[in-house]
Structures are given as C-alpha cells and as structure tokens.
C-alpha cells in the first residue's frame, strides 16, 4: 500500500511538472519608459513551449488604442523560411512598436495559448505590461 502511494505522488508530480507554462522576457510588469514623438520598439519573447498562432488568434490589446503603439508578431528569420512555409510569423515573439502621441500610461495585454504535448494539454496565457510615456 505504501509503494502505491509513492507511485501515485510520483506520477502526479510528473504530470504537474510537464504542464506547459508560458514565461515572458521581459518578465516584469513595467516596460522601459517611452517618449512622446520618438519611435518605440521592444520585443517580447514567449518561452515555455510553442505558441499557437495564425489569423484567427488575437495577439493582444493596447489601451488606449489611439496611443500610437501597436502589436505585431516578429517575422521568422529568412533561414527558417522554406517552400513549405505557410506562415512567416514567429508566434513566440511579439513586437511592441510605434510612436507614442500623448503622455500617460499605456496598458498592453499579450495573450494566446501554448500547444500541448503527450503528457499535458495546451494552456492559455496572458501577460500585462504598463508602458509609461513621458514628455521629451
């Protein structure tokens, strides 16, 4: 009976440890400050598994939406694109870019899902960032 409990705990640990969990770089909530009228660019890398992507997936949101900041997927490096490539976006990388047009705080939410694998189903993720925009 004792060995059955140990086996159960071990199997439960393996299942929990193998669940895909997204991590982000940069990992904090606050991004480097941006300046009104100057171009802003930052790459956010999603780690922890292969992210789902495609035209049906919503990348995230920027609030307020008239701030001059937008989101897009990073392009795949040219060496990874072959004749069979149907999507040239890297879904594990997101670019935050644009020229901020007013001061204040911009809330950026990045969301999506990771593919599952043999031991775990896929999982959704969401990450919130704050971008402070200052005068030059």
């Amino acid at each position: 009976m004792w060995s059955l409990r140990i086996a159960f705990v071990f199997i439960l640990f393996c299942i929990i440890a193998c669940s895909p969990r997204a991590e982000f770089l940069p990992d904090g909530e606050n991004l480097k400050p941006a300046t009104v009228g100057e171009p802003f660019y930052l790459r956010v890398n999603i780690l922890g598994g292969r992210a789902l992507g495609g035209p049906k997936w919503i990348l995230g949101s920027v609030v307020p939406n008239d701030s001059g900041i937008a989101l897009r997927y990073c392009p795949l490096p040219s060496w990874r694109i072959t004749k069979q490539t149907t999507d040239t976006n890297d879904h594990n990388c997101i670019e935050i870019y644009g020229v901020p047009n007013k001061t204040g705080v911009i809330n950026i939410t990045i969301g999506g899902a990771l593919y599952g694998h043999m031991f775990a189903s896929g999982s959704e993720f969401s990450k919130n960032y704050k971008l402070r925009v200052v005068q030059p």
Side-chain angles (χ1 to χ4, degrees):
M1 187 66 167
W2 182 251
S3 62
L4 184 61
R5 288 183 184 172
I6 292 174
F8 176 74
V9 170
F10 178 74
I11 291 170
L12 186 63
F13 174 76
C14 288
I15 290 173
I16 292 171
C18 293
S19 297
R21 196 180 95 234
E23 295 181 19
F24 301 86
L25 290 177
D27 61 350
E29 182 178 291
N30 295 315
L31 300 175
K32 65 180 182 176
T35 305
V36 172
E38 293 182 14
F40 180 83
Y41 177 83
L42 180 74
R43 288 176 75 125
V44 176
N45 291 306
I46 303 166
L47 310 171
R50 187 169 164 219
L52 293 170
K56 294 182 181 180
W57 283 94
I58 297 173
L59 183 60
S61 64
V62 177
V63 176
N65 59 2
D66 63 345
S67 63
I69 297 294
L71 303 174
R72 67 180 171 215
Y73 289 114
C74 300
L76 280 175
S78 59
W79 62 269
R80 294 194 67 192
I81 298 173
T82 65
K83 291 179 184 176
Q84 290 81 26
T85 302
T86 59
D87 188 355
T88 58
N89 293 320
D90 180 359
H91 300 287
N92 281 75
C93 177
I94 302 208
E95 296 175 341
I96 302 171
Y97 71 99
V99 180
N101 53 23
K102 56 185 170 184
T103 61
V105 176
I106 299 172
N107 294 307
I108 300 168
T109 302
I110 295 173
L114 298 176
Y115 279 100
H117 53 78
M118 185 173 171
F119 299 110
S121 61
S123 63
E124 293 183 356
F125 61 82
S126 179
K127 175 71 174 170
N128 296 315
Y129 288 110
K130 292 186 185 293
L131 174 63
R132 191 170 52 89
V133 180
V134 296
Q135 284 289 344

